[in-house]
């Protein structure tokens, strides 16, 4: 869009987007009478097409339109022509619509019905003036950036001139020696400060390093400064005070005005002059180097440039050490990631082996019994036994497949929220788990007060979670023992616990038992069956309800798993 001038409405092009013909016509006629040039569009799609074809100074857009509504038009224009003023003409009467429109990029708004047409002219003139001021601001910023580049080039030229002088070269050589010797960061910084104090005839100095995470400069080393100052010195935000401005601009500074700088004022009683230079590593500023003097002194460009060159060398050295430290941390993190990948690969292999084992054994039994039934020769009792065993094993295979597919469904299917009665939930979970207790004689005991209120949740998923906990408890409990499921109520939660008297879980294993495919004994020859999915399924179902699942256990003393589910509505 061409630059907006301040010569008044004559010739200014206004695009009107409204699906009501009478409003379009009224707005167009009014603005035309005011010497504007208008173009109209009957809907959002046509309006966007017109906006992209022509150069407009402002756009009036209705919010409620078919096909493409006003909010979509505003968002598209903000992305494509951010400097184009867009005014909302809202007839909804809902303040939130106007707020959302302005959040999307609208500059101003007019409410319908429009009782005073002159309001339109006032709003348009106001946004056109804002657009003009923005254009002037951008031009000014461009000129300032160009000026900054010219100033930096001048500083670089003066620095090269200073490097040609013998006295400065000697000082730089002394500083270079202190910086280039392979040392730890603290020793290098202290030696560099000593060299800078000597080169500038200073009495004290300090290095502040920039923390990129907070954009603050923190003291990393110092020489000759009062302990009281160091004890109370705070981190300096980037851009604040002389030190913060040097770090932001990348230009060294010197002076004697301590009192008016909050960060230097504590040094005012003992010192009366200062020099500060950035620590530069290429185009990056990593900190500042500051020198203070007790005497009141002025500094020419040579002295300031000398400290700047020391700062440049020190900046490169600091960046090199920081890079080495970052590289070492990255290597440690990489090794940790590789170890985690190896662990996950082991889990995957164990999972494949376990699934194969869990499939092979029952399939072999089913196959054998089916062949015996097919060959005949079994009396009725033997046939019934064969059918019962085959049926039980097939149900086990179905449970295995359902466990695997349940994890996929958890990621893809939303919860079906309804009011869940705790007593009914416990009864359903126990019925699902009773098949596993027939051969072992394990008793499933429930302790659920009948007056506990229902709570919001997905009944089917929660029953699956409890079934997985009951199945896990029965699997690791001795024959004839008791597994107890208890329900309690607090003002904000429903607490459901499953306690067994099984083998227990060590603290080391407790950190991993809720991971997918993890098993305490992952080998194919392990004593207990399963694929390592049950507890992971229970955890993900509970967390999908905004709840938590925890375990308390010690080896040989059994385990208690507790579900904590919120009673508040699930969003």
């Amino acid at each position: 869009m061409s630059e907006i001038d301040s010569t008044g409405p004559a010739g200014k092009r206004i695009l009107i987007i409204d699906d009501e013909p009478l409003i379009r016509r009224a707005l167009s006629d009014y603005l035309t009478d005011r010497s504007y040039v208008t173009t109209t569009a009957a809907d959002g799609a046509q309006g966007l097409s017109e906006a992209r074809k022509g150069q407009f100074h402002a756009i009036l857009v209705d919010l409620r339109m078919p096909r493409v509504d006003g909010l979509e038009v505003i968002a598209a224009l903000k992305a494509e022509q951010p400097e184009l003023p867009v005014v909302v003409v809202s007839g909804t009467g809902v303040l939130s619509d106007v707020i959302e429109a302005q959040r999307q990029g609208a500059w101003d708004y007019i409410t319908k019905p429009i009782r005073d047409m002159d309001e339109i002219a006032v709003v348009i003139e106001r946004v056109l003036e804002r657009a003009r001021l923005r254009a002037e601001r951008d031009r000014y910023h461009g000129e300032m950036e160009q000026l900054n580049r010219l100033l930096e080039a001048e500083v670089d030229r003066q620095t090269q001139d200073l490097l040609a002088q013998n006295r400065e070269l000697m000082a730089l050589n002394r500083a270079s020696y202190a910086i280039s010797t392979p040392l730890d960061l603290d020793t290098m910084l202290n030696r560099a400060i000593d060299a800078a104090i000597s080169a500038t005839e200073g009495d004290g100095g300090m290095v502040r390093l920039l923390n990129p995470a907070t954009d603050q400069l923190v003291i990393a080393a110092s020489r000759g400064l009062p302990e009281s100052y160091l004890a109370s010195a705070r981190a300096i935000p980037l851009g604040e005070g002389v030190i913060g401005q040097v770090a932001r601009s990348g230009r060294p500074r010197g002076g004697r005005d301590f009192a008016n700088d909050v960060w230097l004022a504590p040094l005012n009683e003992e010192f009366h002059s200062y020099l500060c230079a950035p620590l530069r590593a290429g185009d990056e500023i990593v900190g500042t180097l500051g020198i203070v003097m007790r005497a009141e002194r002025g500094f020419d460009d040579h002295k300031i440039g000398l400290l700047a060159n020391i700062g440049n060398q020190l900046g490169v050295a600091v960046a090199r050490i920081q890079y080495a430290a970052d590289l070492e941390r990255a290597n440690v993190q990489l090794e940790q990631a590789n170890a985690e990948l190896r662990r996950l690969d082991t889990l995957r292999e164990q999972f494949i082996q376990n699934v194969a084992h869990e499939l092979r054994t029952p399939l072999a039994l089913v196959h054998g019994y089916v062949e015996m039934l097919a060959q005949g020769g079994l009396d009725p009792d033997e046939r019934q036994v064969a059918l019962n065993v085959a049926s039980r094993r097939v149900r086990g295979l179905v449970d295995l497949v359902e466990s695997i597919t349940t994890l996929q469904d958890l990621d893809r299917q939303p919860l079906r929220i309804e009011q869940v009665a705790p007593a009914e939930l416990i009864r359903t979970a126990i019925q699902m788990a009773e098949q596993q207790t027939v051969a072992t004689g394990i008793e499933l005991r429930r302790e659920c007060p009948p007056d506990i209120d229902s709570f919001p949740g997905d009944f089917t998923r929660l029953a699956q979670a409890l079934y997985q906990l009951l199945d896990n408890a029965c699997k690791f409990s001795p024959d004839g023992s008791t597994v107890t499921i208890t329900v309690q109520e607090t003002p904000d939660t429903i607490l459901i616990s499953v306690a067994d008297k099984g083998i227990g879980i060590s603290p080391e294993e407790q950190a991993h038992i809720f991971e997918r495919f993890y098993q305490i004994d992952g080998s194919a020859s392990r004593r207990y069956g399963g694929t390592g999915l049950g507890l992971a399924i229970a955890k993900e179902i509970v967390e999908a309800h905004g709840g938590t699942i925890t375990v308390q256990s010690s080896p040989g003393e059994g385990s208690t798993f507790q579900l904590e589910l919120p009673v508040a509505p699930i969003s």
Side-chain angles (χ1 to χ4, degrees), residues 442-471:
I442 293 175
E443 178 188 357
L444 299 179
R445 179 182 300 166
R446 62 181 132 186
E447 297 178 0
C448 178
D451 58 346
I452 291 184
D453 293 334
S454 60
F455 64 96
D458 187 319
F459 185 93
T460 302
R461 292 278 175 84
L462 290 173
Q464 285 179 328
L466 288 176
Y467 164 72
Q468 297 295 346
L469 294 181
L470 290 171
D471 179 63

Side-chain angles (χ1 to χ4, degrees), residues 149-397:
R149 286 192 291 270
L150 292 174
L151 289 174
E152 289 174 357
E154 180 63 15
V155 169
D156 289 340
R157 184 189 64 79
Q158 293 181 7
T159 299
Q160 293 303 318
D161 292 340
L162 292 172
L163 287 173
Q165 301 180 31
N166 184 58
R167 182 170 56 85
E168 295 164 3
L169 284 175
M170 292 177 61
L172 287 173
N173 285 337
R174 289 195 299 269
S176 296
Y177 177 77
I179 293 167
S180 61
T181 306
L183 299 167
D184 63 274
L185 181 61
D186 289 341
T187 303
M188 183 196 70
L189 292 178
N190 285 325
R191 290 190 179 182
I193 294 173
D194 288 339
I197 290 174
S198 175
T200 59
E201 302 176 282
D203 298 300
M206 64 181 168
V207 167
R208 285 182 179 264
L209 296 182
L210 178 64
N211 182 342
T214 62
D215 274 348
Q216 291 184 326
L217 295 153
V218 181
I219 293 179
S222 66
R223 292 292 208 196
L225 299 183
E227 288 296 330
S228 59
Y229 170 77
L230 297 175
S232 61
R234 295 174 293 155
I236 299 178
L238 198 63
E240 291 195 15
V242 169
I243 297 173
Q245 291 168 16
V246 166
R248 168 160 286 176
S249 68
R251 293 190 293 272
R253 287 181 58 178
R256 296 189 295 272
D257 187 6
F258 284 77
N260 291 323
D261 189 314
V262 66
W263 309 102
L264 295 176
L267 296 172
N268 191 38
E269 290 186 5
E270 186 170 348
F271 301 98
H272 301 94
S273 306
Y274 65 83
L275 277 173
C276 185
L279 304 186
R280 184 188 294 276
D283 293 331
E284 182 181 5
I285 305 299
V286 298
T288 60
L289 170 62
I291 303 297
V292 290
M293 295 86 173
R294 291 186 174 89
E296 290 191 7
R297 289 166 50 187
F299 304 104
D300 56 20
D301 290 343
H302 295 290
K303 190 70 72 176
I304 294 175
L306 178 61
L307 190 66
N309 278 279
I310 296 174
N312 289 342
Q313 295 185 58
L314 183 55
V316 171
V318 168
R320 183 177 65 245
I321 292 177
Q322 290 177 336
Y323 173 77
D326 291 343
L327 184 60
E328 183 177 354
R329 283 193 295 271
N331 286 335
V332 171
Q333 293 171 355
L334 181 60
E335 179 55 36
Q336 292 173 343
N338 287 335
E340 179 66 10
L341 286 175
R342 289 192 294 270
R343 188 182 74 83
L344 293 175
D345 189 59
T346 300
L347 287 178
R348 182 183 65 83
E349 293 295 333
Q350 290 177 351
F351 173 70
I352 293 173
Q353 293 175 10
N354 295 342
V355 169
H357 176 79
E358 293 292 324
L359 291 172
R360 187 183 301 113
T361 301
L363 284 175
L365 286 171
V366 171
H367 177 70
Y369 278 115
V370 168
E371 283 193 341
M372 292 171 62
L373 289 170
Q375 291 170 1
L378 298 177
D379 61 35
D381 290 339
E382 291 173 330
R383 285 198 300 272
Q384 188 60 46
V385 170
L387 288 171
N388 289 342
V389 171
S391 175
R392 187 166 61 253
R393 293 296 183 174
V394 168
R395 280 197 300 272
L397 291 174

Side-chain angles (χ1 to χ4, degrees), residues 467-511:
Y467 164 72
Q468 297 295 346
L469 294 181
L470 290 171
D471 179 63
N472 188 72
C474 292
K475 186 186 304 178
F476 293 99
S477 294
D479 293 353
S481 62
T482 300
V483 174
T484 304
I485 181 167
T486 305
V487 182
Q488 296 175 297
E489 185 178 23
T490 73
D492 301 318
T493 59
I494 294 291
L495 303 176
I496 305 175
S497 61
V498 176
D500 63 59
K501 303 183 185 303
I503 62 174
I505 308 167
S506 69
E508 295 78 13
E509 300 289 353
Q510 290 178 30

Side-chain angles (χ1 to χ4, degrees), residues 5-292:
D5 57 42
S6 57
T7 57
K12 299 289 175 59
R13 299 194 61 198
I14 309 297
L15 174 60
I16 301 167
I17 307 174
D18 199 305
D19 61 337
E20 298 184 30
L22 291 178
I23 292 179
R24 287 199 310 273
R25 180 61 180 270
L27 291 174
S28 178
D29 289 346
Y30 174 77
L31 291 175
T32 299
D33 290 340
R34 302 279 299 198
S35 300
Y36 290 100
V37 178
T38 63
T39 301
T40 61
D43 58 45
Q46 184 185 0
L48 281 175
S49 176
E50 291 291 340
R52 288 162 180 158
K53 288 189 301 184
Q55 290 186 339
F56 293 97
H57 293 80
I59 292 179
L60 302 178
V61 59
D62 186 21
L63 284 181
R64 297 288 188 263
M65 294 184 292
R67 296 173 61 193
V68 178
D69 66 19
L71 291 177
E72 293 176 275
V73 172
I74 294 168
L77 290 175
K78 181 179 179 181
E80 297 171 8
Q81 302 182 53
E83 299 304 319
L84 176 60
V86 178
V87 177
V88 170
V89 183
S90 172
T92 65
V94 180
L95 181 59
S96 61
D97 287 348
V98 173
I99 294 173
E100 178 61 17
Q102 291 188 313
R103 192 182 69 82
Q104 293 287 348
W107 288 39
D108 213 329
Y109 70 94
I110 301 169
T111 57
K112 295 189 291 187
I114 303 170
R115 306 187 185 282
D116 183 359
M117 294 296 284
D118 287 340
E119 178 187 355
I120 298 171
V122 171
V123 171
I124 291 178
E125 289 170 5
R126 184 165 63 225
V127 298
L128 290 179
E129 177 63 12
R130 284 176 56 193
R132 183 187 68 79
L133 292 175
R134 281 192 182 187
E136 288 185 0
R137 178 202 63 192
D138 292 343
R139 184 173 62 254
Y140 173 77
H141 284 172
E143 292 171 354
M144 289 299 296
E145 289 174 357
Q146 177 65 21
L147 180 58
N148 285 336
R149 286 192 291 270
L150 292 174
L151 289 174
E152 289 174 357
E154 180 63 15
V155 169
D156 289 340
R157 184 189 64 79
Q158 293 181 7
T159 299
Q160 293 303 318
D161 292 340
L162 292 172
L163 287 173
Q165 301 180 31
N166 184 58
R167 182 170 56 85
E168 295 164 3
L169 284 175
M170 292 177 61
L172 287 173
N173 285 337
R174 289 195 299 269
S176 296
Y177 177 77
I179 293 167
S180 61
T181 306
L183 299 167
D184 63 274
L185 181 61
D186 289 341
T187 303
M188 183 196 70
L189 292 178
N190 285 325
R191 290 190 179 182
I193 294 173
D194 288 339
I197 290 174
S198 175
T200 59
E201 302 176 282
D203 298 300
M206 64 181 168
V207 167
R208 285 182 179 264
L209 296 182
L210 178 64
N211 182 342
T214 62
D215 274 348
Q216 291 184 326
L217 295 153
V218 181
I219 293 179
S222 66
R223 292 292 208 196
L225 299 183
E227 288 296 330
S228 59
Y229 170 77
L230 297 175
S232 61
R234 295 174 293 155
I236 299 178
L238 198 63
E240 291 195 15
V242 169
I243 297 173
Q245 291 168 16
V246 166
R248 168 160 286 176
S249 68
R251 293 190 293 272
R253 287 181 58 178
R256 296 189 295 272
D257 187 6
F258 284 77
N260 291 323
D261 189 314
V262 66
W263 309 102
L264 295 176
L267 296 172
N268 191 38
E269 290 186 5
E270 186 170 348
F271 301 98
H272 301 94
S273 306
Y274 65 83
L275 277 173
C276 185
L279 304 186
R280 184 188 294 276
D283 293 331
E284 182 181 5
I285 305 299
V286 298
T288 60
L289 170 62
I291 303 297
V292 290

